[in-house]
Amino acid sequence: MRSKPRPIRFYKVTKMIDVPVLIAGGGPVGLVLAHELRYRGIRALLVERNPTTTRHPKMDVTNGRSLEHFRRLGIAPAVRAAAVPEDHPMDVIWVTRAAEYEVARFAYPSVIETREIIRRTNDGSLPLEPYMRISQVVLEPVLKELLERDASEIELRFGWGLESFTQDAGGVTAVIRETATGRTETVRCAYLAGCDGGGSTARKQLGIQLEGQSRVAELFMIHFRSRALDVLQKFGVSWHVQSPIGGTLIAQDDREIWTLHTPLPPGVDAAAVDPRALLFQCLGAAIDCEILVANMWTPHLLVAEQYGAGRVWLAGDAVHQYIPTGGYGMNTGVGDAVDLGWKLAAQLQGWGGPRLLESYEAERRPIGLRNREASQRHMGVRLKILFDHYDPSAHEESPAGAAARRALGEGILALGNAENESLGIEIGYRYEHSPIICGEDGEAPPADPLRYTPSTWPGVRAPSVFLADGSALFDRFGPGFTLVRFADCPTEAFERAARERGVPLHVLDVREPRVQAIYQRALVLVRPDLHIAWRGDAAPGDAALIIDRARGAA
């Protein structure tokens, strides 16, 4: 019997997509990278395999350093408008259970109060912007919508993911796949940015391994809606309500949306967990609620052995994964996106040198390692509270219970709350071994995870101060390099060298002795990401070499 002839299928031939940058991943890091590129006039295509932004709450605080970048990009007002109201406190409360007893409190000022503290202090020791309480569920749609309002540089394709890629000396050829249909298209780009999360396709295809400890805990997340404020805000409006045995209850909007992260009791099968029953057990009371999302998840302490290769570079969870203690995951990723973004722009605009992208890994990987260690330390404090200071009798209404609660509270206060007070981690990091930083002889300022001392030692973030007219110094910096001049030093050699190489350079005169004392030198060269590239007390004879070093060409 003759077989039936196969039907002829006609395939529509589509033109290859040609774009300077392909961003794989539409979480907060990919979206911030897209904003950074748009700010610099670089076209990009962003693909995200999920059809919408995340439904999972994940991150719930954006730190001051990230908000400094949001301010620079012009998106801070819109993001803040979606956050928890600025007059709400940031208190962290420790309880036996949410419905029982408070044992310790770490009180922190609201955004409004912090903003006033920053302006009043004005000695360079604080970030320009206060922190902000906002869930990733809320943040991602805002970042996405802001990009969609002006689609001139950035094209967003949600429901499309990175399938594969090859790279050559001239660029990257990538295949993207539509999740719903399986349809594929080909993209030719100069650079591929893998911001595609912990299971990164980009990282795996590069063959880059993650180093560290995976599955350091097993936690259950319950994201829910409830107005049972008599239990959920029994001790007043707060950010976190933490229990040694009940986990962490996060107030997402201080009205009705909450997230509980709690360890499962030993031997309990996650598939058999009743989220409502577990929630009531952790709170110490049954409440009227609607479960929005509930699932098991496992935090990791991992950093990639490399941050990229050739024309493919990675950022965010693709290269580092932390325990949430400290809120370092997304905020570290924002720093990645900013560092990578201005360097990609420099390459595409023709003024970036051959070592510029190499410096991305040299700068960001040590920060990834440092923040992993900090996250681990903070979790160690939580475990110490449970194993060294918690006594089950603390739940009792008895003299023994009161004594146990008193001892628990004293132990918690003695250990402190470094996970929410590590300003040195937030704004005190330094690009110590970067090939594009003009180093100095002498001893660098000590690195302290808790405390930040303003400095202009090459590689650090520039100190933030307000000028005599009330304006923020950061707002006076240009989008490229800024040469801040505090004295009558000639800058023509810098300007000529930058002009000849196409490097964007803005000379900013500041003649305020108070600010110069903070900046420590007569001339300070600030990079596009607000880190110090070079400083000196006189016009150098090798200005061209300094410009070349800063752009990755020396």
Side-chain angles (χ1 to χ4, degrees):
M1 178 182 295
R2 294 177 62 186
S3 60
K4 294 181 180 180
R6 295 181 180 179
I8 298 175
R9 296 179 180 176
F10 295 93
Y11 293 92
K12 182 179 179 181
V13 178
T14 59
K15 182 180 179 181
M16 180 183 292
I17 302 167
D18 195 344
V19 68
V21 181
L22 172 62
I23 302 172
V29 176
L31 290 167
V32 170
L33 176 57
H35 276 283
E36 186 71 38
L37 293 173
R38 184 180 70 166
Y39 174 71
R40 302 188 181 284
I42 302 299
R43 291 190 306 112
L45 168 63
L46 181 150
V47 295
E48 165 54 51
R49 62 181 176 81
N50 293 308
T52 64
T53 53
T54 186
R55 294 174 55 242
H56 294 260
K58 301 179 183 177
M59 177 277 310
D60 63 286
V61 65
T62 304
N63 69 26
R65 180 56 174 154
S66 294
L67 278 154
E68 288 178 345
H69 289 306
F70 288 2
R71 177 177 177 136
R72 179 177 52 80
L73 296 171
I75 62 177
V79 173
R80 284 201 183 276
V84 172
E86 293 191 349
D87 61 345
H88 287 209
M90 288 282 294
D91 289 10
V92 173
I93 303 172
W94 278 89
V95 298
T96 55
R97 290 189 180 93
E100 296 178 347
Y101 306 98
E102 176 181 337
V103 297
R105 178 183 294 257
F106 297 95
Y108 300 109
S110 68
V111 170
I112 291 176
E113 292 167 334
T114 303
R115 188 175 287 122
E116 177 57 30
I117 292 169
I118 290 169
R119 185 166 285 275
R120 188 171 62 245
T121 304
N122 199 27
D123 61 1
S125 66
L126 296 173
L128 172 59
E129 288 281 339
Y131 40 59
M132 173 180 64
R133 290 171 56 197
I134 184 169
S135 171
Q136 193 167 323
V137 171
V138 179
L139 176 63
E140 286 187 14
V142 176
L143 295 174
K144 178 174 179 283
E145 181 184 351
L146 288 170
L147 290 168
E148 290 171 334
R149 288 181 190 174
D150 177 10
S152 58
E153 277 95 15
I154 308 299
E155 178 186 352
L156 302 179
R157 286 203 191 185
F158 275 66
W160 288 77
L162 175 68
E163 181 78 5
S164 63
F165 66 87
T166 58
Q167 61 173 316
D168 53 55
V172 180
T173 301
V175 176
I176 59 173
R177 181 180 296 276
E178 188 174 30
T179 306
T181 66
R183 180 167 61 101
T184 63
E185 292 192 15
T186 303
V187 180
R188 180 64 177 176
C189 53
Y191 297 99
L192 167 62
C195 307
D196 47 347
S200 171
T201 297
R203 187 193 69 240
K204 289 178 179 177
Q205 189 167 333
L206 286 173
I208 294 174
Q209 302 299 312
L210 295 170
E211 300 174 340
Q213 185 180 358
S214 61
R215 304 182 68 88
V216 296
E218 291 190 340
L219 300 175
F220 203 88
M221 181 197 74
I222 306 171
H223 189 51
F224 65 99
R225 186 191 314 274
S226 177
R227 289 187 174 271
L229 302 185
D230 57 326
V231 172
L232 300 169
Q233 290 181 348
K234 179 177 180 179
F235 307 106
V237 175
S238 63
W239 172 31
H240 286 177
V241 177
Q242 298 175 173
S243 163
I245 60 167
T248 298
L249 177 68
I250 303 166
Q252 300 287 6
D253 64 0
D254 289 346
R255 297 189 309 273
E256 62 177 11
I257 304 298
W258 318 82
T259 306
L260 176 74
H261 294 281
T262 185
L264 280 183
V268 173
D269 181 5
V273 169
D274 177 352
R276 188 178 299 269
L278 179 60
L279 174 64
F280 297 167
Q281 175 186 336
C282 292
L283 296 177
I287 61 172
D288 184 29
C289 65
E290 173 192 359
I291 306 296
L292 302 175
V293 180
N295 58 261
M296 190 77 181
W297 68 282
T298 55
H300 311 289
L301 288 166
L302 300 169
V303 174
E305 61 183 6
Q306 293 176 244
Y307 271 36
R311 290 178 172 269
V312 182
W313 296 91
L314 311 170
D317 284 357
V319 284
H320 48 72
Q321 297 165 45
Y322 308 139
I323 304 168
T325 46
Y328 300 140
M330 188 211 75
N331 288 294
T332 305
V334 168
D336 298 339
V338 169
D339 193 286
L340 181 59
W342 78 263
K343 292 171 181 176
L344 289 175
Q347 296 296 109
L348 291 162
Q349 290 164 349
W351 57 268
R355 302 195 69 187
L356 190 59
L357 283 176
E358 169 194 330
S359 74
Y360 169 65
E361 179 177 313
E363 292 182 351
R364 293 305 302 172
R365 189 170 185 272
I367 306 306
L369 292 168
R370 183 200 66 158
N371 291 1
R372 181 185 67 181
E373 293 170 2
S375 173
Q376 186 173 18
R377 284 197 304 273
H378 301 328
M379 178 53 72
V381 171
R382 299 256 189 139
L383 294 175
K384 192 172 182 63
I385 289 170
L386 172 62
F387 293 116
D388 292 1
H389 299 285
Y390 169 69
D391 181 336
S393 64
H395 303 282
E396 300 173 2
E397 181 56 59
S398 66
R405 290 191 291 276
R406 186 165 53 251
L408 174 60
E410 290 172 353
I412 291 170
L413 293 174
L415 287 169
N417 192 38
E419 67 179 80
N420 300 125
E421 297 177 3
S422 293
L423 195 57
I425 292 286
E426 180 180 329
I427 62 174
Y429 56 91
R430 179 172 74 244
Y431 296 146
E432 192 170 5
H433 301 296
S434 171
I436 64 170
I437 294 295
C438 299
E440 294 183 1
D441 295 331
E443 187 174 349
D448 187 329
L450 283 175
R451 297 166 188 82
Y452 166 70
T453 302
S455 169
T456 54
W457 185 271
V460 303
R461 161 196 165 275
S464 170
V465 293
F466 294 97
L467 301 176
D469 63 1
S471 64
L473 179 60
F474 277 13
D475 292 342
R476 301 283 193 92
F477 293 161
F481 285 87
T482 300
L483 184 59
V484 189
R485 180 168 57 185
F486 293 98
D488 292 325
C489 299
T491 59
E492 289 81 3
F494 275 110
E495 296 175 73
R496 182 171 57 255
R499 186 169 55 251
E500 290 171 351
R501 292 156 175 78
V503 176
L505 176 68
H506 168 58
V507 178
L508 174 63
D509 277 302
V510 177
R511 302 304 168 90
E512 298 184 21
R514 177 185 59 84
V515 180
Q516 182 177 358
I518 296 169
Y519 268 64
Q520 303 171 329
R521 296 293 188 275
L523 292 171
V524 180
L525 184 62
V526 181
R527 305 187 332 179
D529 59 355
L530 311 184
H531 282 258
I532 305 299
W534 169 88
R535 63 180 184 171
D537 278 324
D542 57 350
L545 180 59
I546 291 169
I547 292 294
D548 280 341
R549 172 66 66 83
R551 70 186 185 94

